[in-house]
Structure formats: structure tokens, C-alpha cells
Amino acid sequence: MFSPQGPSLRELCVQALSSVERGYDLLAPKFDHTPFRTPESVLDATVEALSELGSFAHGLDVCCGTGAGMRVLRSLCSGGITGVDFSAGMLAQARRAYPDATWVRADARALPFAAGFDLAVSAGALGHFLPTERPALFAGVYRALRPGGLFAIPIGTAPLTSVSHWMTRGFDLVMRVRNVVWRPPFVMYYHSAPLPALCADLTAAGFTATDAVLPALGTHRDGGPRFRLILARKAAAHS
């Protein structure tokens, strides 16, 4: 499925009928050969945008999976970099890719960090959180950052007229039906985290939230950007 090295249809079905944690444990060895991993082009564009916003020492990849966001942190951070995820299987794969990084297994809704990082990133993970769970997630990231720290989230966009928009709408519908008739639930919804709602939740957590276009990734036919970068800044310490 997707590539010769990727998961088979049967493996994807088994994953889809598992919990989120168990599903990613199963998928982990082949995850990087699926379209679910954040593309290198998005990571490179994120690095380019963040490099213009100053220097960073310590970095945190929230819901790191196999370590895609660590590519961003490795390029930008002069100090240690840390990845956190609740899937042991995904962390095992990430550890092989970045053996010198720090890895923490934890639920992102209860991050075990306090004011230790200058930059936090998260790529492709927000669909795993229900709207009611985002406040705890963002509050944890806020606590993890030092005063003046930055939380960056690249997000894709799709106009209502695009094929990708309606494909992902269909996927969300299938997942909602699946979660009604099957337990445990597998939370993954592409349209549960629209940009205005994310910025509102980040603001409620204490951040100053803005967003920027990632121009290197091109535009849709209607001229709108394909990707944007949410930038959530924690207030600097008062002198």
C-alpha cells in the first residue's frame, strides 16, 4: 500500500480497528513509507520560515511520531532536542533516526515539562485531538516553553472545490461511523482543527497566535496558499 515498503491493506485495516496508541505501534515500522508522514518539503519550508525569527537553544517535538519534526529542530536548535509521543513503537523508530536526542513517552494532553524549551513544533498530529482536548494540549506546551518561546504548527489548506477537501471530509465521516460502531475509538479527523479555532484555543492558553504563508509550497488554483504556519508565542519575562 502506497509503496513497496509501506503497509498492506490488511495491515492498515488492523490498525484502523485498534486504539490510536496500538494502531501506531503496529504501523510504526512502515509509517515513513506512507503519505501520513509530513513531507520533507513541508519540513524544509518550516525551517526556512522559522530561521528568520531568531535563534533557538532547546527544542521539543510534540507528538513526534517517528521524528519528522526533529528535522526542523535539528536544523534550528543549538542545544538539546526532545521528542514526546505516547506510542512506544513510533518512539523506537524515532530513536533509531536520532539516537542522540532525548525521547519521552507521555500523553500530550499531560506533558511532563516545565519551562525548558525555546521552540516547540508539532506536525500532522492535531487531528488526533478532539476540540475539547486541545486546551490541555496547548496548556502543556505553554508550560513547557520558556518565556518568549515559540510553538510552530504547519497546517495544510484545501479549498471547498478541491478533491482533497472532499476526500478528507469523506475520511472523517468514515471515522465517525467507525467510532460509533467499534471500540476502542480511533481519533483522527482532518477537519476537527480549523485555523480560526486553533488560534482561538492557543490564545486562550496564553499564547499570542498568528499565522504565516509558506510560499515555497505553492498555491491552489484559487490562489490560496497550500500550507500555512501557525506561530504561537509565549510572552517574554518582564524585566
Side-chain angles (χ1 to χ4, degrees), residues 1 3 10 21 31 44 51 66 78 120 160 174 178 180 188 199-200 205 208 219 234 239:
M1 192 74 173
S3 76
R10 179 184 179 280
E21 181 180 353
F31 181 79
D44 290 343
S51 66
T66 57
S78 59
L160 291 175
V174 170
R178 175 253 187 251
V180 168
M188 177 59 214
C199 288
T208 298
T219 60
K234 183 173 181 176
S239 58

Side-chain angles (χ1 to χ4, degrees), residues 37-38 43 58-74 77 80-86 91 94 98 101-104 106 108 111 113 117 119-125 137 141 144-145 150-152 154:
R37 184 186 187 275
T38 303
L43 301 173
H58 299 283
L60 175 67
D61 185 358
V62 181
C63 304
C64 64
T66 57
M70 303 298 273
R71 176 187 176 98
V72 176
L73 299 179
R74 175 62 60 80
C77 295
I81 56 176
T82 299
V84 59
D85 202 281
F86 75 162
L91 286 172
Y98 296 93
T102 299
W103 303 102
V104 177
L111 291 173
F113 307 112
F117 301 96
L119 174 64
V121 299
S122 187
L137 168 67
V141 177
L145 288 170
L150 183 65
F151 182 28

